[in-house]
């Protein structure tokens, strides 16, 4: 997340969406000022490989928890 303070009059908007180095990126900025104003922005990057690994790890953890609790009852 980013931010700025402005003095003066103006407006700005920007949106970015794409893929860079095998990672999905989305971001943007929005700002306005009438005398005093500001701008805020955000940028999110998702690495599909790491996301897939994290989902797999989560599924393994759920399976292990099931086996160690409910699965051990049978």
């Amino acid at each position: 997340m980013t931010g700025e303070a402005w003095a003066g009059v103006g407006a700005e908007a920007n949106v970015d969406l794409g893929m860079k180095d095998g990672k999905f990126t989305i971001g943007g900025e929005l700002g306005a000022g009438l005398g005093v104003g500001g701008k805020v922005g955000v940028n999110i990057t998702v690495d599909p490989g790491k996301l897939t690994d994290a989902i797999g790890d989560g599924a393994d953890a759920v399976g292990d928890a099931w086996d160690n609790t409910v699965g051990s009852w049978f």
Side-chain angles (χ1 to χ4, degrees):
M1 180 153 297
T2 60
E4 290 183 6
W6 290 354
V9 177
E12 180 180 357
N14 172 3
V15 175
D16 294 318
L17 175 65
M19 190 164 197
K20 182 178 180 182
D21 298 328
K23 299 174 186 171
F24 296 106
T25 62
I26 186 169
E29 297 176 326
L30 178 64
L34 183 59
V36 176
K39 178 170 79 170
V40 294
V42 66
N43 187 24
I44 299 170
T45 302
V46 176
D47 184 335
K50 287 186 179 182
L51 181 61
T52 302
D53 291 345
I55 291 171
D57 291 345
D60 288 343
V62 169
D64 290 345
W66 179 270
D67 290 343
N68 292 333
T69 56
V70 177
S72 65
W73 300 342
F74 299 102

